[in-house]
Amino acid sequence: MTSHPERIYHPECPDLLQEVMPSLSAELDFRVLQPPRLPSDEELTRIHTNDYVKTVREAFKQVDEGETSVVYLDSETSVGPGTSDSVLRGAGVTLQAVEDVCEDRALRAFVMVRPPGHHAEPHTAMGFCFFNNIMLGLAHAQAKYPDLIKRAALLDFDVHHGNGGQTACFKEPSRMFASTHQSPLFPWKGLSEETGVNFNVINVPLSKDSSPQDFREAWENKILPSVRDFDPDIIFVSAGFDAHESDPLASLRLMESDFGFVTDKIAELANEVAGGRLITVLEGGYDPQALGNCVSEHLRSLSRTSLPSLEQRSRTSSKAVSAAMLFTQDEITSMNKNEVRAHLARLGMPTSGKLDVLKNRLAEVPATAA
């Protein structure tokens, strides 16, 4: 997805991926796929408004048909020749990664696309971002696999706050958003007091003089314990590498090893709570050499993290089975005989028998029977 034509001196330009890909393909033993998947309007409007999707598609049409050479969606985000291909394929590849992971064709996936997506809001482009790729993927997981993916977490270590991801999670108790980011810095959001519904949003702003140890402690001591408590069925990561010390757009001083550290911790947690299901999507990173080194370390980490143990897989399989039932085991255990009979009667099922028989009968009712 390197055809997006931002001017060569623009921070978001094709050279960023062209610099990274050859070294990665030579070094790492990963399957590199470029599926022809494109997003439908139905998939795009799970996150974005109908009007915004129409606006973007009209801008693509104007440029692709030669009516104009450029359309600005905001002061930093412009459509030019090739943009539509990069943007739509980027969203589509993310959706395909979700399907591959949720249907057990892959355990983990890294989606390396440009332009990025985590600043895109439901109704507008922002900060080089057109569609919010990672949130489209998260929403797709919940919509297409409702019995498997009840709860999803989005973690963001880009140096800029992932405002679009926070917006899409803020009022959704089945979603969690957590971020470290430099503050103050564009997009001027992500305050620690922004906590969502049921504290499902965690922001840990880092000042420009924060150390790599501050970054590591934020993840290990503040964010990841809360993700564990949230107990998601899948983890998504906005993998931006512009907190690197060489990046020209920010002032944090992270090294490749810091991104390897946080990737290790997230992958281990995905094994623990989500059966290993982990999808990371490239966001920022504007020094080509640093970006290549960071992406390589990120992929090494994903590769070296062990597979989930049989116990971990068994636990997540039990979660999925429980999630597919109308009542959880805890709910059934707390019911008395009259309550159990009332639920069975409502469902048109037999109500005679001992309490343990009735409870077993109710435990076998799928959620689709509601």
Side-chain angles (χ1 to χ4, degrees):
M1 278 46 114
T2 61
S3 59
H4 181 51
E6 292 288 11
R7 298 173 300 280
I8 199 65
Y9 52 85
H10 191 285
E12 185 55 57
C13 68
D15 281 2
L16 294 172
L17 287 192
Q18 291 166 352
E19 183 82 16
V20 171
M21 287 190 288
S23 61
L24 290 181
S25 61
E27 176 188 352
L28 299 172
D29 185 22
F30 274 83
R31 285 190 304 156
V32 179
L33 306 176
Q34 293 186 332
R37 177 81 149 81
L38 297 176
S40 66
D41 281 357
E42 177 185 358
E43 291 164 338
L44 293 173
T45 54
R46 288 178 182 142
I47 296 300
H48 297 285
T49 64
N50 284 311
D51 286 347
Y52 176 62
V53 171
K54 290 178 182 177
T55 295
V56 175
R57 287 199 182 274
E58 179 59 28
F60 290 166
K61 180 173 180 288
Q62 290 175 13
V63 172
D64 292 346
E65 294 184 358
E67 297 177 25
T68 183
S69 60
V70 62
V71 175
Y72 281 89
L73 298 179
D74 79 346
S75 61
E76 299 170 318
T77 312
S78 60
V79 176
T83 297
S84 61
D85 180 66
S86 290
V87 170
L88 293 173
R89 288 179 64 200
V93 168
T94 307
L95 299 175
Q96 184 63 55
V98 168
E99 294 172 7
D100 287 347
V101 168
C102 289
E103 296 176 17
D104 294 328
R105 290 188 291 272
L107 180 66
R108 307 175 187 122
F110 173 60
V111 183
M112 189 165 68
V113 294
R114 276 298 204 252
H118 72 151
H119 293 310
E121 294 276 1
H123 62 285
T124 187
M126 183 185 293
F128 318 148
C129 302
F130 297 82
F131 293 134
N132 198 313
N133 298 318
I134 199 161
M135 275 309 311
L136 291 172
L138 189 153
H140 186 57
Q142 290 185 310
K144 187 174 177 66
Y145 307 98
D147 293 338
L148 181 68
I149 308 299
K150 294 288 187 180
R151 299 161 74 83
L154 169 53
L155 313 182
D156 190 326
F157 54 70
D158 191 285
V159 80
H160 302 95
H161 181 252
N163 55 287
Q166 176 171 302
T167 296
C169 294
F170 203 81
K171 296 181 180 180
E172 297 289 341
S174 67
R175 299 172 181 172
M176 180 180 187
F177 173 84
S179 171
T180 54
H181 47 276
Q182 183 178 325
S183 180
L185 191 68
F186 179 88
W188 321 111
K189 297 181 180 181
L191 301 178
S192 57
E193 54 264 36
E194 297 169 10
T195 57
V197 59
N198 299 332
F199 299 98
N200 70 326
V201 169
I202 301 174
N203 285 304
V204 185
L206 301 172
S207 63
K208 66 179 182 180
D209 57 352
S210 296
S211 68
Q213 188 61 31
D214 294 328
F215 171 82
R216 292 184 180 216
E217 289 179 356
W219 283 96
E220 193 162 28
N221 299 333
K222 295 181 180 179
I223 292 177
L224 295 180
S226 296
V227 178
R228 180 177 289 106
D229 290 342
F230 183 73
D231 198 25
D233 303 303
I234 191 170
I235 295 177
F236 289 82
V237 178
S238 279
F241 300 101
D242 40 7
H244 190 275
E245 65 172 3
S246 298
D247 199 274
L249 297 192
S251 305
L252 294 186
R253 303 189 304 277
L254 301 188
M255 302 295 291
E256 291 90 341
S257 59
D258 298 307
F259 294 110
F261 170 86
V262 72
T263 305
D264 285 344
K265 295 296 183 182
I266 292 171
E268 290 165 3
L269 182 58
N271 281 352
E272 180 182 339
V273 301
R277 286 185 289 270
L278 175 62
I279 297 172
T280 73
V281 179
L282 182 63
E283 301 288 359
Y286 302 100
D287 179 275
Q289 182 174 353
L291 178 62
N293 292 339
C294 289
V295 169
S296 295
E297 181 60 25
H298 181 65
L299 288 176
R300 288 190 198 100
S301 174
L302 294 177
S303 179
R304 67 177 172 247
T305 301
S306 62
L307 298 176
S309 67
L310 290 176
E311 181 181 354
Q312 289 169 333
R313 283 187 173 274
S314 175
R315 176 184 179 276
T316 52
S317 295
S318 297
K319 280 173 59 180
V321 170
S322 176
M325 297 297 107
L326 183 58
F327 296 101
T328 67
Q329 193 58 53
D330 287 344
E331 289 172 332
I332 293 173
T333 299
S334 67
M335 295 179 190
N336 60 40
K337 193 168 188 177
N338 288 336
E339 290 172 326
V340 175
R341 280 178 166 169
H343 287 302
L344 290 171
R346 178 175 61 82
L347 294 165
M349 300 178 69
T351 60
S352 61
K354 294 182 179 180
L355 181 58
D356 59 344
V357 173
L358 297 179
K359 285 187 174 182
N360 287 339
R361 190 174 297 158
L362 193 60
E364 296 173 355
V365 178
T368 53

